[in-house]
Amino acid sequence: MKKFTALVLAIVLFCGCAEIKPPISSASQPEQPPIVSAPEKEPPEKPETEPDFKIPEREYKVLAELPTKEGYAIVYEQQMSDEFNKRFSNDTVFWGLYMQLFDDSGKRIETVDFDRHNSNRIPTPVSRLSAEGNYIYFESRHTLEQGPNTPDYQMDYCFYLALNAEGIDEIKPSQLGDRYRLKSYYILADKEDVSLQYTTEYDQKQLIDRHVFRLVGESYGESRIVLDEVDASIVSGISGIIYGSDIFGNPVEHDELYSVSIALDPQTSQAVIKNQKITLALDFAKGIAAEQRQYTEDMLEERAAVSPDGKSEIWLSGLNPYFEGPTGCDFVLKNKDGELKYLCSGYTLYQVEFVDNDRVLISSMDELVIYDAVTGEKQPNQPEFDFGSRKHPNNPDYPNVVERVAVGIDVDPNGNILIAYRENIDRDDGETEVVLKLLDNGGNHIKTVNTGMTMMPYGKFTANMIEVEADGQSAVLKLNGSEKNTMTVAYMP
């Protein structure tokens, strides 16, 4: 089984400086099953007449039985036939998931084959068993093996079983069959019969993965907090809690930055996930999350820019290589008072320049942001640059993309801001022209200059960039900083 999906930069989809977004209510998520309340404690009552349960032909185990709106249901696993097993393995036994439905008199109405076949049996007893409208819901905790010398990990599997055809719409999107859906959560911590869990959910409309934290218990019920963004170091630390390694397979105990601690308080419905630089506080009672960052001098790894007076600096922190693509990182301001202020997260592909001693400009290709060089806050006045918006070139159903991208920035000796940009084209569309935009020190448009330079938008694994060196009269444009691929452009008379 793969570990968490590796965080890889998609070179066609440009992303700006990521900041944590307010939690998104689980109720607002598209096509999500309803949250199931804690079930009643009284045992389910059978019909007055014993249900006409047809004994399966092969070995079986009853997982759950309970009354439904129309009668009674018995859910069970049955061993698959030797013929079925041999189709997939010489020595593995598979188990199928089935349900028999009965009316109020105990007469069998239907036997449902959910078409789920798995070598891992569903553990019993199940929890949070209930019949909600037209489907049955229950949870079961699985212990999964990773192999020799690697600790096992646990997941809670949430089963949604449709009782009839009308129940199909309630549990879509159906991943494994028209009347069956499975959701799973990784176990992070257990305390007082309440469990803190984590998973991701893919939003089919927005085309993004969201981070889901869940607090759940038999008596507690269920609460969820859904976030658009969670810092990569927290996600890696969560992977360490589960698997014993970060998302890149490195042992967590050897990396203080990614190793997280978890504090869970079921009485207040609060949890705190913390590592060296991030504290993520989850308040399930209010359905909100707060992310706080703290940096120290020893976390600053590479200096990216220095203010003209030499008193302020921009540093890269938390450098994380993404295979052969750009390295992920945080941009941290060390201001003139020596204070460390977080600016944004992104990639070493981003470009950074001080506009003057009091402001710093960061280009993330599809966004230009000026930050205060003392507080680290975004300035009220931002550069006058129109990135535009258009349909995705490969799929009109995808979210819109920008029409043009910034591939180079500089600030000349007069304080003017220069932005080299190109059309946002697909990898296979060939070369595109580089255009130079000149802004004054306040970020207001002065002129646009056609450079006559063209460039391939992408290299093998990443986007190509341009280094801009301006002297107040002309600018030297260097593709990927190479002296061989240069163009000198006069931008002032």
Side-chain angles (χ1 to χ4, degrees), residues 222-233:
E222 178 182 9
S223 301
R224 297 184 353 146
I225 294 176
V226 184
L227 301 175
D228 283 351
E229 298 286 348
V230 173
D231 188 82
S233 68

Side-chain angles (χ1 to χ4, degrees), residues 4 160 244 391 470:
F4 287 124
Y160 300 82
K391 293 290 186 181

Side-chain angles (χ1 to χ4, degrees), residues 51-300:
D52 180 23
F53 181 69
K54 182 178 180 181
I55 303 299
E57 298 176 353
R58 292 174 295 278
E59 182 181 346
Y60 74 98
K61 178 181 69 171
V62 172
L63 302 174
E65 52 181 301
L66 75 168
T68 67
K69 184 170 62 175
E70 303 296 335
Y72 201 76
I74 298 178
V75 182
Y76 59 97
E77 278 187 314
Q78 179 184 352
Q79 183 175 313
M80 300 304 293
S81 67
D82 291 341
E83 179 183 4
F84 180 95
N85 294 329
K86 293 299 182 184
R87 287 168 53 192
F88 303 98
S89 173
N90 291 327
D91 55 6
T92 301
V93 174
F94 292 88
W95 296 81
L97 182 62
Y98 299 86
M99 176 173 64
Q100 291 185 27
L101 296 173
F102 311 88
D103 63 17
D104 289 334
S105 68
K107 179 182 177 181
R108 186 172 65 255
I109 302 171
E110 181 184 12
T111 298
V112 181
D113 180 354
F114 290 107
D115 198 27
R116 179 186 189 267
H117 310 110
N118 203 299
S119 59
N120 294 319
R121 301 188 66 177
I122 300 173
T124 53
V126 301
S127 63
R128 305 187 66 225
L129 174 64
S130 63
E132 298 286 335
N134 292 319
Y135 65 92
I136 288 175
Y137 177 88
F138 63 85
E139 298 185 10
S140 177
R141 180 163 296 192
H142 286 58
T143 299
L144 303 175
E145 299 178 356
Q146 295 194 86
N149 304 318
T150 307
D152 299 339
Y153 64 97
Q154 291 186 315
M155 299 185 73
D156 267 3
Y157 286 6
C158 307
F159 291 86
Y160 300 82
L161 309 178
L163 292 167
N164 49 43
E166 286 71 26
I168 293 175
D169 288 339
E170 293 190 40
I171 61 172
K172 280 185 176 179
S174 178
Q175 298 166 320
L176 301 171
D178 286 343
R179 295 177 65 169
Y180 159 58
R181 186 182 178 192
L182 173 68
K183 288 179 63 64
S184 57
Y185 294 86
Y186 294 92
I187 310 301
L188 300 184
D190 288 315
K191 187 175 182 180
E192 300 174 9
D193 297 322
V194 175
S195 179
L196 175 65
Q197 304 176 0
Y198 170 82
T199 192
T200 59
E201 292 179 352
Y202 188 68
D203 188 324
Q204 297 285 349
K205 293 182 179 179
Q206 297 297 320
L207 304 177
I208 60 172
D209 272 318
R210 290 196 168 98
H211 303 268
V212 181
F213 294 91
R214 183 172 85 137
L215 205 60
V216 64
E218 184 74 48
S219 300
Y220 176 88
E222 178 182 9
S223 301
R224 297 184 353 146
I225 294 176
V226 184
L227 301 175
D228 283 351
E229 298 286 348
V230 173
D231 188 82
S233 68
I234 290 290
V235 177
S236 288
I238 287 173
S239 178
I241 292 289
I242 298 165
Y243 300 113
S245 62
D246 65 20
I247 58 175
F248 306 107
N250 303 313
V252 173
E253 59 268 23
H254 299 306
D255 194 331
E256 294 182 0
L257 179 61
Y258 291 133
S259 181
V260 299
S261 62
I262 295 179
L264 172 60
D265 186 353
Q267 299 302 317
T268 60
S269 298
Q270 294 183 349
V272 175
I273 304 176
K274 183 178 181 179
N275 64 19
Q276 187 181 14
K277 75 166 182 174
I278 299 289
T279 298
L280 178 63
L282 303 167
D283 188 335
F284 290 93
K286 297 180 180 178
I288 59 175
E291 186 178 90
Q292 181 178 351
R293 295 170 179 267
Q294 54 276 334
Y295 292 89
T296 58
E297 288 277 352
D298 59 357
M299 296 169 64
L300 306 181

Side-chain angles (χ1 to χ4, degrees), residues 77 123 148 175 187 206 208 220 261 305 309 316 339 359 380 408 425 433 470 476 482 493:
E77 278 187 314
Q175 298 166 320
I187 310 301
Q206 297 297 320
I208 60 172
Y220 176 88
S261 62
D309 62 7
L316 306 183
E339 299 172 321
R359 296 174 297 161
I425 64 174
E433 183 181 359
V476 179
S482 171

